[in-house]
Amino acid sequence: MTVIDFSAFIGRLATASGETILPFFRTSLSIDDKSKTKDFDPVTEADRAAEAVMRRLIKANFPQHGIVGEEFGNEREDADYVWVLDPIDGTKSFIGGFPIWGTLIALLHKGTPVFGMMHQPFIGERFSGDNGSANYKGPSGERRLQVRRCASLSEATTYTTSPLLMNERDRGIFGRVEKGVRLSRYGGDCYSYCMLAAGHVDLVVETELKPYDIAALIPIVTGAGGVVTTWEGKPAQGGGRIIAAGDARVHQEALKLLNG
């Protein structure tokens, strides 16, 4: 099968997960803390139910495929095709009632993300990409996604979910980039990368990401003409310290500061 053949199935996964999540949104749902440290890492019944639905669909249709998920661990992760699932990226926004969250669905072939989707069912938006192109579907219709040109870091708008999620050393390094941009904003989670792909943001800098936090977003950003790497300039699908840029010139400037 090709990526095109999988795209309809990925749409089914998005629809099923969205239908599972929405009844929980903006309700009095129970919240558990997965963190073993002082950092609050919430998970809800909606997270678990949505991932369970997606896993059942994948196993029923592609039993030979692997699955990597935030809530229920890894299965057959050495398979040629592996699905990487984050049922609710942005759970802290979700439990606060803000719609800045989304379901992330990635398909990896031999370790490389070949298709990704971010689905926001409350707003009704889907951002998808296959590294060669990226697309939007939502209330305003359908269109191709394209990053915007940005000649220098001094003209850039950057996002990070929160500097408080970074360790003290990385926070100081990020501060160098923050001082060099025109505008720095916090929040967004997966939406920051999608807004970068849509041409509204120039740079996203994060740390401590897991594979399921970033794998689906890589084909979207690269498909729109952007670049996603680690802070060391390496492939980003394994997570860690991540930088995404719409313009390669901004990416290079920011990398120099992150590694200076």
Side-chain angles (χ1 to χ4, degrees):
M1 295 184 70
T2 67
V3 172
I4 293 173
D5 297 321
F6 284 121
S7 62
F9 177 70
I10 292 170
R12 287 177 58 198
L13 290 180
T15 297
S17 61
E19 290 173 348
T20 303
I21 292 168
L22 281 182
F24 293 97
F25 187 48
R26 293 181 177 171
T27 64
S28 300
L29 73 172
S30 60
I31 301 164
D32 296 326
D33 185 1
K34 294 188 293 184
S35 176
K36 295 180 174 62
T37 66
K38 293 182 180 180
D39 297 323
F40 179 48
D41 187 12
V43 61
T44 70
E45 188 177 349
D47 295 83
R48 298 188 183 104
E51 185 171 320
V53 164
M54 290 190 286
R55 281 177 177 265
R56 283 199 296 269
L57 279 171
I58 292 168
K59 290 177 181 179
N61 288 272
F62 304 104
Q64 75 278 22
H65 287 191
I67 303 175
V68 173
E70 179 174 13
E71 306 307 333
F72 297 113
N74 304 343
E75 302 177 60
R76 294 176 54 86
E77 57 186 310
D78 58 345
D80 280 354
Y81 283 101
V82 176
W83 298 88
V84 183
L85 310 173
D86 190 347
I88 301 178
D89 183 81
T91 302
K92 292 172 184 174
S93 290
F94 182 88
I95 64 176
F98 291 89
I100 313 300
W101 52 271
T103 298
L104 298 180
I105 304 168
L107 178 62
L108 274 58
H109 182 235
K110 296 184 177 179
T112 298
V114 293
F115 193 92
M117 177 177 285
M118 191 283 267
H119 179 217
Q120 214 305 328
F122 184 74
I123 300 174
E125 293 188 316
R126 294 185 182 189
F127 299 80
S128 62
D130 61 4
N131 294 314
S133 64
N135 297 279
Y136 168 86
K137 183 177 181 180
S140 60
E142 299 182 28
R143 66 178 184 275
R144 289 282 293 270
L145 293 172
Q146 182 67 45
V147 297
R148 68 183 177 191
R149 292 176 60 81
C150 184
S152 68
L153 192 67
S154 62
E155 300 174 28
T157 295
T158 188
Y159 266 74
T160 191
T161 299
S162 172
L164 296 178
L165 296 174
M166 302 177 182
N167 62 46
E168 187 174 351
R169 180 176 180 274
D170 286 347
R171 194 179 309 142
I173 295 171
F174 169 71
R176 293 181 227 159
V177 175
E178 193 169 37
K179 288 177 182 177
V181 299
R182 180 169 64 179
L183 176 65
S184 178
R185 300 287 293 171
Y186 302 154
D189 292 286
C190 57
Y191 249 103
S192 298
Y193 297 87
C194 293
M195 292 301 97
L196 186 147
H200 305 302
V201 173
D202 304 297
L203 186 67
V204 181
V205 181
E206 308 260 43
T207 65
E208 314 294 339
L209 296 191
K210 305 298 184 186
Y212 47 74
D213 294 319
I214 190 65
L217 300 166
I218 294 171
I220 299 172
V221 172
T222 57
V227 57
V228 187
T229 69
T230 65
W231 285 18
E232 295 75 32
K234 304 296 184 182
Q237 58 262 30
R241 302 187 301 174
I242 303 299
I243 174 173
D247 194 303
R249 294 170 292 184
V250 170
H251 180 258
Q252 286 301 312
E253 270 194 76
L255 274 186
K256 287 179 182 178
L257 291 174
L258 293 173
N259 293 282

